[in-house]
Amino acid sequence: MRFSIESDQVADLIPGIVFPRLRKDFPKTEALPIAQIPKVIRDQNPELRYQASRRLIGGRLIISLGDRVAAVSCVKPYIGWGEFQPVILRLVGLLREAALIKEVERFSLKYSNMLSGGNPKEQFAHTRFAATLAETNLVEQLTQIRTEFNEGGFVNIVELAANAIAKHPSGSIMNGLLLSIDTICNSPVDFWNNAEVLLKNAHEVEKTIFFRALTKEAINALQPKWGT
């Protein structure tokens, strides 16, 4: 979630108000590298303005905060929407109570998954993606693609990358086809009062796009718990 604040002077107050309310469930606190950069420089750099500077860790869940950004993330394995959404709404409620945020500029839900396979052809076989460039079949190559389209009132960014590598916080290395979907709502209307409905709608759109991108065999292999 990206937001604007009432004044630059109050940005540093938000973690101090929010974090103590979450410490019971998120006992570990970390300062991120960007916290070492002076705030005046972060404010002037568009690439740094919306970067988190601190985070709380509780099991597989992470809450991150910056001067103009707040996020909740879950490391593998995903806990399911039924458990994940209440954590998001809890953070939203605390930010609203802080009364330091002028406007919520945008929010998004992003889901990333790694699909296995020894080579690009095996990896893309999990998806319904097909593409050629002249005589070259791109699903057999080290293809990376990013596309953006509107659906359900949201901007959706879908990325596919063959032979991607990701490191789990436990230290294990995962590789395969990266399938990432970022469902974005810009300038949400009356976000504080409509957060639950907006999140539900975004989740439905994102879930639809994700499962639509996969073959039936890949969906069965993932063993999804429908309704979550």
Side-chain angles (χ1 to χ4, degrees), residues 71-107:
V72 182
S73 55
C74 177
V75 299
K76 186 179 179 180
Y78 177 49
I79 62 175
W81 183 247
E83 293 184 42
F84 192 51
Q85 184 196 34
V87 180
I88 300 174
L89 291 175
R90 181 182 178 189
L91 176 60
V92 168
L94 291 175
L95 291 170
R96 182 180 188 177
E97 290 175 13
L100 298 175
I101 294 175
K102 181 179 180 181
E103 180 184 14
V104 176
E105 298 175 349
R106 58 168 272 184
F107 78 90

Side-chain angles (χ1 to χ4, degrees), residues 10-12 18 28 47 50 58-59 62 66 77 92 111 114 117 134 143 145-146 148 155 168 171 187 192 196 219:
V10 305
D12 290 334
V18 173
K28 185 177 179 181
E47 295 183 1
Y50 297 105
I62 300 171
V92 168
Y111 181 69
M114 196 75 75
T143 299
I145 186 169
R146 179 188 185 277
E148 180 177 319
V155 177
H168 191 274
S187 303
W192 298 124
E196 186 170 357
I219 293 173

Side-chain angles (χ1 to χ4, degrees), residues 50-221:
Y50 297 105
Q51 296 294 319
S53 56
R54 300 174 182 85
R55 68 181 183 183
L56 290 177
I57 301 174
R60 298 201 302 272
L61 292 171
I62 300 171
I63 290 180
S64 304
L65 279 179
D67 299 333
R68 296 172 178 82
V69 65
V72 182
S73 55
C74 177
V75 299
K76 186 179 179 180
Y78 177 49
I79 62 175
W81 183 247
E83 293 184 42
F84 192 51
Q85 184 196 34
V87 180
I88 300 174
L89 291 175
R90 181 182 178 189
L91 176 60
V92 168
L94 291 175
L95 291 170
R96 182 180 188 177
E97 290 175 13
L100 298 175
I101 294 175
K102 181 179 180 181
E103 180 184 14
V104 176
E105 298 175 349
R106 58 168 272 184
F107 78 90
S108 70
L109 292 178
K110 185 172 183 177
Y111 181 69
S112 299
N113 205 330
M114 196 75 75
L115 304 174
S116 63
N119 54 59
K121 184 178 181 179
E122 293 179 1
Q123 294 165 15
F124 277 113
H126 296 298
T127 74
R128 299 172 63 189
F129 174 75
T132 59
L133 180 62
E135 304 301 323
T136 302
N137 187 352
L138 297 183
V139 300
E140 298 179 356
Q141 313 302 322
L142 291 176
T143 299
Q144 297 184 18
I145 186 169
R146 179 188 185 277
T147 187
E148 180 177 319
F149 55 90
N150 294 318
E151 183 170 328
F154 297 89
V155 177
N156 301 278
I157 299 173
V158 179
E159 296 179 276
L160 290 162
N163 281 10
I165 298 174
K167 186 176 181 180
H168 191 274
S170 66
S172 62
I173 302 296
M174 300 172 285
N175 57 71
L177 178 74
L178 174 66
L179 171 57
S180 174
I181 301 168
D182 196 2
T183 297
I184 303 166
C185 178
N186 291 307
S187 303
V189 177
D190 195 10
F191 177 79
W192 298 124
N193 291 320
N194 296 318
E196 186 170 357
V197 172
L198 289 168
L199 286 168
K200 177 180 179 294
N201 293 342
H203 175 250
E204 288 299 322
V205 170
E206 181 182 53
K207 185 170 67 172
T208 297
I209 295 172
F210 175 74
F211 285 112
R212 194 170 63 204
L214 300 178
T215 64
K216 291 182 179 179
E217 294 77 13
I219 293 173
N220 291 334

